Amino acid sequence: MPSVLLSLVTWNSADSVEACLRSALAQTYSDFEFWVVDNASADDTCARVEALSAADKRLKLHRLPQNTGFCGGHNYALDRTQSDYVLLVNPDVEMQPDYLAKAVAAMQRDEQIGTVCGLLVQSQEADPYIDSAGMTALPDGRYRLRLHRQRVSEAALEPGYVDGADGALPLFRRRFINDLRIEGHFFDPRFFAHKEDWDVAWRGRLYGWRTWFEPSCRALHPRQFLPANLRLRNRLASAIKTDAVKNQWLLLIKNTTPAQAPRLLLQAIPRQLAIMAYSVLFERSSLPAYRYIWQHWREAVESRKIIQARARRGWQPASGPTTPTQLSARPEPAAVVV
């Protein structure tokens, strides 16, 4: 069994997927299998993947009959593999050849490291802007990209522990993945897409896991989605904006500990009320997010109980329990494997 699974979820990704795949298949660390889980693309994404898989048997295409989002697609791969490590790969990422080798080496520093993230830059120019260098937790329950839009030459790029990893290219330890499962899922399928990396970072910190930033791991990632940018936000599909609003409430409900609640909610609630007012006045397409939270409140609270109970046990070393929490019996879509 290969030591690393590369998991890539595609949905109409034909414009970028070939460059992404070629950079992954050219990694100097070659002991991996590469799953591409396609969410019912309508373009020629699958044809492009198949063409490359014919020449490299490590690459396998799994076609899902419906769009399960970022969360569902990666959960599909995670639930069917057992590698020691998993590298999530966005279809618009291009890795330097030694990214995976250096990330795996960084993971060996400490068994408490559950995630390794690298330096993602926005262009191939000599001194590019930084896309992310991990994430920083904010006092109102949000996360922001570390060093985003700073020039590489101007940033303090030291390896070390950070609050979380951006979802574009994190390396996870398998034991970390299994420890964070809730009702069988690593990624909460209710998120579909957006802020699921915040959820994983927050839950991992609650359980005592750590995230290591390794700047020698470098990749290209020209980010497109920043929901706080109102000019860009106005051009986004309504479903994306609804997910962004909905998922922030799910984050707060599930992960806020009793000790955090007074300070965190004092800062989070005014912002969330302002977003609600903005939605009522200017972005009514986001209002279904509040209906969703109302309708699924009990399920979110049940998830909260599981998370908070696990958080109270603190860090669990390798000799502790490693089995997934409450495996789910919910059916998943069958895939066509190419």
Side-chain angles (χ1 to χ4, degrees):
M1 179 181 66
S3 62
V4 181
L5 168 72
L6 274 59
S7 175
L8 187 152
V9 175
T10 54
W11 181 71
N12 297 331
S13 307
D15 60 340
S16 61
V17 71
E18 284 185 277
C20 174
L21 295 176
R22 292 184 189 280
S23 76
L25 294 172
Q27 291 297 297
T28 57
Y29 188 103
S30 60
D31 184 24
F32 65 82
E33 59 180 335
F34 194 174
W35 282 33
V36 176
V37 181
D38 184 73
N39 272 322
S41 290
D43 63 5
D44 63 343
T45 295
C46 291
R48 293 170 185 258
V49 176
E50 288 171 344
L52 289 173
S53 68
D56 195 320
K57 299 306 179 185
R58 294 175 299 175
L59 180 60
K60 293 179 172 60
L61 173 64
H62 298 252
R63 299 182 189 229
L64 298 184
Q66 62 200 55
N67 187 357
T68 63
F70 179 96
C71 297
H74 282 302
N75 281 344
Y76 177 91
L78 297 177
D79 295 347
R80 291 163 173 79
T81 55
Q82 297 180 335
S83 58
D84 294 331
Y85 308 109
V86 177
L87 181 71
L88 302 191
V89 185
N90 263 27
D92 57 349
V93 159
E94 295 179 44
M95 291 179 275
Q96 289 191 345
D98 58 358
Y99 188 101
L100 183 56
K102 290 183 175 180
V104 171
M107 187 73 80
Q108 311 308 317
R109 300 177 62 94
D110 182 355
E111 69 166 342
Q112 206 165 344
I113 296 175
T115 310
V116 172
C117 59
L119 175 65
L120 306 186
V121 298
Q122 294 189 327
S123 71
Q124 300 280 25
E125 61 186 304
D127 186 21
Y129 285 109
I130 294 171
D131 176 62
S132 72
M135 299 193 301
T136 299
L138 301 180
D140 62 356
R142 295 178 298 140
Y143 282 76
R144 72 177 173 209
L145 301 174
R146 291 183 66 246
L147 309 180
H148 180 68
R149 293 297 292 174
Q150 291 189 33
R151 291 285 187 183
V152 167
S153 62
E154 300 170 352
L157 295 174
E158 297 295 328
Y161 292 107
V162 294
D163 293 336
D166 175 59
L169 197 60
L171 179 71
F172 293 132
R173 191 186 297 270
R174 177 67 68 165
R175 202 168 68 82
F176 169 82
I177 290 170
N178 287 341
D179 190 23
L180 264 66
R181 289 179 182 270
I182 304 298
E183 297 181 315
H185 301 297
F186 176 65
F187 286 119
D188 187 335
R190 291 169 296 203
F191 278 59
F192 190 78
H194 312 304
K195 300 186 181 178
E196 72 291 321
D197 47 358
W198 298 10
D199 189 43
V200 166
W202 195 340
R203 193 155 73 249
R205 293 177 73 209
L206 289 178
Y207 294 4
W209 289 97
R210 308 185 78 179
T211 298
W212 181 265
F213 167 63
E214 180 51 64
S216 66
C217 298
R218 187 158 167 171
L220 173 69
H221 184 229
R223 184 176 303 269
Q224 300 296 323
F225 177 65
L226 286 172
N229 183 326
L230 292 181
R231 181 178 299 176
L232 174 60
R233 187 182 182 93
N234 289 334
R235 300 199 302 267
L236 295 172
S238 60
I240 295 175
K241 293 181 281 192
T242 298
D243 277 340
V245 174
K246 164 180 63 70
N247 294 349
Q248 186 63 49
W249 281 100
L250 288 172
L251 281 165
L252 293 170
I253 294 168
K254 295 194 309 173
N255 299 322
T256 304
T257 67
Q260 290 174 328
R263 177 182 58 82
L264 188 149
L265 295 181
L266 185 63
Q267 300 190 55
I269 295 303
R271 176 182 175 83
Q272 295 309 310
L273 291 177
I275 292 173
M276 183 183 295
Y278 179 85
S279 298
V280 170
L281 295 174
F282 306 110
E283 194 178 277
R284 290 181 175 271
S285 61
S286 293
L287 292 178
Y290 301 101
R291 182 170 63 249
Y292 181 96
I293 293 298
W294 176 259
Q295 293 173 340
H296 296 271
W297 179 268
R298 290 184 180 180
E299 294 98 314
V301 170
E302 287 303 311
S303 296
R304 171 185 171 78
K305 291 177 182 178
I306 296 169
I307 291 168
Q308 299 302 321
R310 169 63 187 86
R312 286 193 290 272
R313 299 203 305 270
W315 163 245
Q316 301 287 310
S319 58
T322 59
T323 54
T325 304
Q326 290 196 359
L327 288 174
S328 172
R330 282 179 281 184
E332 294 180 334
V336 176
V337 183
V338 179

